[in-house]
Amino acid sequence: MSDSVSDCTEHRSVVTEAEVEALVRGICFKTGPPRFIGVEVEWLVHELRLPRLPVRPERLEAAYAALRTLPLRSALTVEPGGQLELSSLPAASLMECIGSVSADLDAVRAVLREVDLGLTGYGQDPWNPPSRFLHEPRYDAMERYLDRTGPEGRAMMCTSASVQVCLDAGYEEPGPLGHGRRWWMAHQLGAVLLAAFAHSPMARGRHTGWRSTRQSLWAAMDPGRSNAPPLGPEPRGAWARRVLDAPVMCVRAPDGPWDVPEGMSFRAWTRSDNPPDRADLDYHLTTLFPPVRPRGHLELRMIDAQPGDDGWIVPLAVTTALFDDPEAAEIAYRTVKPLAERAGSLPAPRNPLWQDAARYGLTDPELREAAVICFAAAAEALPRLGATTEVLDAVAEYTDRFVARGRCPADDLLVQLQGRSHDRSDGQSRSRLRDQFHDRLDGRFHGQFQGKDIGS
């Protein structure tokens, strides 16, 4: 969730609704040949010796101070709950992107190991309730705003992590790599990617009923903030209208807490006696969280953080191949086209297709069939994109382990949970201590989601 001030706009005053619409239409979809890719990888930070224990704030502070001295190519940022994010520079090839981020992650892990900390890839923290690490005006205001609709916003802020793939918008002209088709396909193929890479079935040590609890949180939040705009032939206009009609999360102030208005859209703000300026528009764009966000490029936000040090490489490689290789893009388009009927008229992530992808993963037969075809197309395309043998092998192993069997990483985690439940029934002392620890956590945060199905 890299949400520093967006580069979708240039800095000059905006005083009218017409100017906002023109700016958003003109800059948030920059068209041309797809040449660059990027990735944003988020991680939960944990104690190496006791991974389920939350890291004390003072230990995180010291670790991040050390990390900021590293000469990284990626941008290093910290999320509200202390999650760590690396955002790559735009790369001219898949392997350039992988090589750059992998080197940065090696350097980050080496520093963290020195203080007995590590990185874990879960879409949602399986063990700990939300606890905010950063106390800044932006996040104070965000928390106040999101609390109005329920506890899901705090969980999203503090306990979630993802792999966000960034791709060029595409050609102005129609065709397999045209921006109109890529925008449409991102919202249909996005459900397949969500299901194939779901990795967040637990919260506070218990199964939530979702393969991707993280995605269920997004779907339960303020729809004006997390819904995709209506899909149609002209994505620029649809996105501009969504930006104008979205509620204003906060109004920044140089000193003191930021104002959190209630029920004021950005359109209404432009018509007020104290209209926003250009910087306010820049900031407003960073507070919108649809599953596909146009920021000049397309930011695909539906993929959970993945297990393993290099688990993020497979979703990056598969997604890039399915969008940037013309043959694979055509196969993916034809494969996901029937899914549009199932999605219906509701926007992602609230339509039936996305809800089923988040809840059932690839146990859903139609999503499984689409994933099998799309992963096969990606595997054929990756050599044409210069992928190394290691990347090809990783995609093949993932396909065999999960996709071909109608499974996703969430299923592995659920098997582990069942194994721990069996251990508890044996009365082993280690299991009793673990249960006592989680009972204490539940006592401290009892009621956080009580009486509400997460993502309902």
Side-chain angles (χ1 to χ4, degrees):
M1 190 178 67
S2 178
D3 292 311
S4 57
V5 173
S6 170
D7 60 359
C8 279
T9 57
E10 301 169 357
H11 290 283
R12 69 173 179 80
S13 293
V14 168
V15 294
T16 70
E17 151 183 5
E19 286 175 312
V20 172
E21 182 168 2
L23 287 165
V24 173
R25 288 174 64 100
I27 297 182
C28 284
F29 287 87
K30 296 179 181 177
T31 55
R35 293 182 299 175
F36 296 104
I37 65 171
V39 68
E40 300 174 11
V41 287
E42 295 174 341
W43 304 88
L44 303 178
V45 182
H46 64 85
E47 298 282 358
L48 279 178
R49 298 177 185 177
L50 294 169
R52 297 184 205 172
L53 283 178
V55 181
R56 297 194 308 274
E58 60 271 21
R59 283 176 50 70
L60 280 180
E61 288 279 8
Y64 288 142
L67 291 176
R68 291 188 181 99
T69 68
L70 293 174
L72 304 175
R73 293 189 62 191
S74 306
L76 186 149
T77 52
V78 180
E79 297 300 321
Q83 310 98 305
L84 181 144
E85 179 181 68
L86 288 181
S87 301
S88 74
L89 292 171
S93 71
L94 173 65
M95 293 315 303
E96 178 186 328
C97 185
I98 291 174
S100 174
V101 175
S102 294
D104 286 344
L105 280 168
D106 287 344
V108 166
R109 288 193 175 97
V111 170
L112 291 177
R113 278 196 301 270
E114 292 178 358
V115 292
D116 292 325
L117 296 177
L119 302 177
T120 302
Y122 293 113
Q124 172 76 17
D125 190 323
W127 314 113
N128 299 303
S131 178
R132 194 141 63 87
F133 170 69
L134 295 181
H135 294 275
E136 301 172 359
R138 168 184 173 87
Y139 297 120
D140 292 344
M142 181 182 290
E143 186 174 272
R144 288 170 55 201
Y145 177 91
L146 295 174
D147 278 352
R148 291 172 178 169
T149 56
E152 295 85 3
R154 289 197 185 202
M156 176 276 295
M157 290 172 62
C158 299
T159 55
S160 68
S162 68
V163 177
Q164 297 179 14
V165 179
C166 300
L167 303 165
D168 280 334
Y171 286 100
E172 185 67 31
E173 298 78 18
L177 302 184
H179 79 283
R181 179 183 286 193
R182 284 162 74 88
W183 174 252
W184 181 90
M185 192 169 78
H187 291 86
Q188 312 303 334
L189 180 60
V192 179
L193 297 173
L194 163 61
F197 295 110
H199 187 222
S200 51
M202 295 166 57
R204 294 188 298 160
R206 296 178 176 86
H207 184 202
T208 64
W210 300 84
R211 272 8 184 241
S212 179
T213 302
R214 172 182 166 272
Q215 188 59 55
S216 77
L217 296 173
W218 285 114
M221 286 169 51
D222 171 22
R225 182 140 273 104
S226 60
N227 268 10
L231 296 181
E234 215 293 283
R236 288 189 176 95
W239 179 244
R241 288 188 292 274
R242 171 49 49 87
V243 169
L244 280 163
D245 292 334
V248 174
M249 177 177 283
C250 53
V251 178
R252 295 170 298 164
D255 299 301
W258 295 1
D259 182 40
V260 182
E262 190 159 2
M264 181 177 75
S265 69
F266 201 84
R267 189 188 302 276
W269 193 7
T270 65
R271 298 174 179 178
S272 71
D273 294 334
N274 185 26
D277 62 18
R278 184 63 177 273
D280 293 319
L281 173 59
D282 284 339
Y283 187 79
H284 177 64
L285 290 168
T286 73
T287 69
L288 304 180
F289 309 122
V292 183
R293 183 163 65 174
R295 307 184 73 180
H297 57 272
L298 301 183
E299 182 183 79
L300 278 68
R301 304 169 55 86
M302 71 289 298
I303 299 171
D304 282 353
Q306 295 296 289
D309 289 352
D310 299 324
W312 58 275
I313 292 175
V314 173
L316 172 64
V318 168
T319 305
T320 300
L322 294 175
F323 277 87
D324 284 3
D325 181 85
E327 292 181 33
E330 184 65 26
I331 292 171
Y333 172 73
R334 294 178 180 177
T335 300
V336 302
K337 197 171 183 180
L339 299 179
E341 181 177 349
R342 182 169 166 186
S345 59
L346 292 175
R350 285 175 170 78
N351 64 49
L353 175 65
W354 279 68
Q355 291 283 290
D356 287 347
R359 186 177 292 278
Y360 303 116
L362 293 187
T363 63
D364 181 289
E366 192 174 15
L367 288 168
R368 176 184 179 179
E369 181 181 2
V372 167
I373 296 171
C374 288
F375 271 67
E380 291 186 6
L382 282 168
R384 297 193 289 267
L385 298 180
T388 62
T389 301
E390 289 78 9
V391 172
L392 297 176
D393 288 346
V395 172
E397 181 182 355
Y398 192 96
T399 303
D400 291 342
R401 180 177 179 180
F402 294 115
V403 178
R405 302 181 184 184
R407 301 176 72 252
C408 60
D411 295 303
D412 276 2
L413 194 55
L414 290 174
V415 169
Q416 294 171 23
L417 177 64
Q418 292 168 358
R420 281 190 296 271
S421 298
H422 181 268
D423 288 344
R424 283 197 297 269
S425 70
D426 292 338
Q428 297 179 6
S429 60
R430 183 173 57 184
S431 298
R432 289 198 301 269
L433 290 173
R434 182 176 57 220
D435 291 345
Q436 291 168 8
F437 166 70
H438 287 297
D439 287 341
R440 288 198 297 274
L441 281 182
D442 286 343
R444 287 176 59 201
F445 296 96
H446 182 67
Q448 183 74 26
F449 294 104
Q450 189 176 16
K452 186 165 187 176
D453 182 20
I454 298 176
S456 61

